[in-house]
């Protein structure tokens, strides 16, 4: 504790050292994620504004009630599975980053592999859900669902749903691609030659951000 | 020796945060399910449950950012350059949601057609026709 007390007293802005004590790439990844948070925030706030200006909205328990192979009548079950897949893949990413700190190549490869599997599983679930909703007649500009009180609903519901979950799915897809590149770089010893696995940390930040955005998207569309 | 201590603490932290996130998600799902089942009309109880769900959502966001993304372990100055700009969301959310609400209220007040049609149930015939045209595809 004594040493940390001294280091916080050090003059970080006195010159000769990095004032934020993080690597350039990691800091820039944080600023990118902050700007991305505003993009998603703008989308979700637009959705909220429209919802606040509408007199009714469909009940998510009615819209999202199907599970592949089990039929319908299971409200929110499938999206719960998707949420847990993303949480678990975030955990394996934390373990991959930690293995990178220990410079344990085998563990990095193992955990990155499981993270990629989680990402692909999430994307497959989303593909199934979109396909199912499309079969029910929902798409951009088409809304077969009525409001919770039985009144006619507008296409705002489906437009926002497909746009925002699509934009999030696109982020998951880019995350999977980045993780695959990280896996290849780890397997070909690129990080070993470099002497550090800091790149995994930056990919990890992006992957956790994707999980973080899902927390918000999931709450806004499926719960409230 | 300090190294292995730190590792096991780290391992416990990851496990604990995973458990917290899972439990919060299950509670959220139960509330979201109950809300529409038990409180059929929008009202105080429904708004209260939505408020609880949003608080749980923010708790989950805090755990992910602080522990999984390790922001809690960075220097205070660096944390502030990320967190302070996000404070704009306070204005962003309040201003825009209030704007949406005002739009609805004035439309229901001044647009009589909108005020009446907002209470009309979707006619059953229209739905059947939709079904028929769907099966025709």
């Amino acid at each position: 504790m004594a040493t940390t007390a001294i280091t916080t007293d050090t003059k970080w802005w006195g010159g000769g050292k990095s004032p934020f004590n993080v690597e350039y790439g990691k800091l820039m990844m944080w600023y990118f994620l902050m700007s991305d948070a505003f993009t998603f925030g703008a989308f979700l706030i637009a959705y909220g504004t429209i919802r606040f200006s509408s007199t009714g909205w469909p009940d998510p328990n009615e819209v999202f009630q199907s599970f592949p192979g089990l039929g319908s009548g299971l409200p929110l079950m499938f999206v719960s599975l998707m949420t847990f897949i993303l949480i678990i893949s975030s955990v394996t990413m934390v373990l991959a980053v930690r293995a990178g700190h220990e410079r344990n190549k085998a563990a990095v490869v193992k955990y990155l592999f499981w993270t990629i599997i989680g990402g692909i599983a999430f994307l497959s679930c989303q593909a199934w859900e979109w396909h199912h909703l499309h079969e029910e007649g929902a798409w951009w500009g088409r809304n077969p669902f009525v409001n919770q009180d039985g009144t006619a609903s507008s296409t705002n519901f489906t437009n926002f749903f497909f746009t925002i979950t699509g934009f999030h799915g696109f982020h998951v897809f880019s995350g999977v691609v980045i993780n695959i590149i990280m896996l290849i770089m780890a397997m070909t010893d690129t990080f070993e030659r470099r002497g550090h696995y800091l790149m995994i940390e930056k990919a990890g930040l992006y992957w956790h951000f994707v999980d973080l955005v899902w927390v918000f998207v999931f709450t806004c569309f499926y719960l409230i | 020796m300090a190294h292995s201590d730190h590792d096991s603490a780290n391992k416990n932290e990851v496990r604990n945060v995973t458990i917290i996130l899972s439990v919060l998600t299950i509670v959220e799902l139960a509330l979201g399910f109950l809300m529409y089942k038990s409180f059929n009309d929008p009202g105080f109880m429904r708004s209260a449950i939505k408020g609880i769900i949003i608080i749980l959502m923010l708790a989950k966001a805090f755990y992910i950012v602080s522990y999984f993304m390790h922001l809690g372990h960075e220097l205070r100055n660096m944390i502030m350059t990320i967190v302070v700009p996000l404070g704009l969301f306070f204005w962003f959310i309040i201003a825009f949601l209030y704007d949406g609400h005002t739009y609805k209220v004035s439309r229901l007040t001044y647009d009589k057609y909108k005020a009446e049609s907002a209470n009309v149930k979707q006619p059953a015939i229209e739905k059947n026709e939709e079904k028929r045209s769907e099966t025709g595809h």
Side-chain angles (χ1 to χ4, degrees), chain B residues 63-80:
Chain B
Y63 278 107
I64 292 172
V65 174
S66 184
Y67 293 101
F68 282 2
M69 298 169 92
H70 272 278
L71 190 62
H73 300 280
E74 303 291 354
L75 279 180
R76 196 183 148 79
N77 278 332
M78 189 263 182
I79 298 173
M80 286 304 142

Side-chain angles (χ1 to χ4, degrees), chain A residues 102-119:
Chain A
E102 292 160 1
R103 295 196 54 183
N104 181 350
K105 183 190 155 189
V108 168
V109 169
K110 180 178 83 179
Y111 287 124
L112 268 180
F113 174 77
W114 285 113
T115 308
I116 292 164
I117 296 294

Side-chain angles (χ1 to χ4, degrees), chain A residues 22 26 31 148-150 152, chain B residues 40 46 74 77 81 100 121-122:
Chain A
V22 283
K26 195 173 158 187
Y31 291 143
Q148 202 242 332
D149 57 6
Chain B
N40 237 337
R46 197 183 261 200
E74 303 291 354
N77 278 332
T81 63
K121 308 277 180 209
Q122 172 115 320

Side-chain angles (χ1 to χ4, degrees), chain A residues 12-13 19-22 26-27 30-31 33-34 37-38 41-42 45 48-49 51-55 59-61 75-76 80 83-84 87 90-91 94-95 98 102 135-136 144 146 148-152 205 208-209 211-212 215-216 218-219 223-224, chain B residues 7 10-11 14 18 21-22 25-26 28-29 32-33 35-37 40 46 50 53-54 57-58 60-61 64-65 68-69 71 74-75 77-78 81-82 85-86 88-89 92-93 96-97 99-101 103-104 108 114 118-122 127 130 134:
Chain A
W12 287 103
W13 297 90
F20 286 164
N21 201 26
V22 283
K26 195 173 158 187
L27 188 63
W30 268 109
Y31 291 143
L33 294 181
M34 184 180 71
F38 275 106
I45 290 165
T49 307
R51 218 178 139 168
F52 267 65
S53 74
S54 308
T55 48
D59 174 0
N61 285 316
L76 303 181
S80 321
T83 304
F84 280 110
I87 289 176
S90 223
V91 174
V94 172
L95 297 173
R98 214 186 52 194
E102 292 160 1
E135 294 235 303
E136 288 190 319
V146 292
Q148 202 242 332
D149 57 6
T151 56
L205 281 179
H208 295 312
F209 178 76
D211 183 27
L212 178 69
V215 167
F216 288 86
F218 165 68
T219 308
L223 295 177
I224 62 178
Chain B
D7 274 4
N10 206 338
K11 215 168 223 163
V14 172
T18 311
L21 288 176
S22 309
T25 306
I26 292 167
E28 275 188 334
L29 282 164
F33 180 69
M35 182 171 73
Y36 281 95
K37 284 280 172 276
N40 237 337
R46 197 183 261 200
K50 283 184 181 182
I53 289 174
I54 288 170
M57 171 188 83
L58 293 174
K60 278 166 77 180
I64 292 172
V65 174
F68 282 2
M69 298 169 92
L71 190 62
E74 303 291 354
L75 279 180
N77 278 332
M78 189 263 182
T81 63
I82 310 284
L86 293 178
L88 274 171
F89 272 119
F92 202 177
I93 293 168
F96 277 71
L97 296 191
D99 185 52
H101 177 73
Y103 180 73
K104 176 174 78 179
L108 289 177
K114 175 70 185 170
N119 292 315
V120 176
K121 308 277 180 209
Q122 172 115 320
K127 273 177 86 180
E130 262 177 34
E134 262 172 47

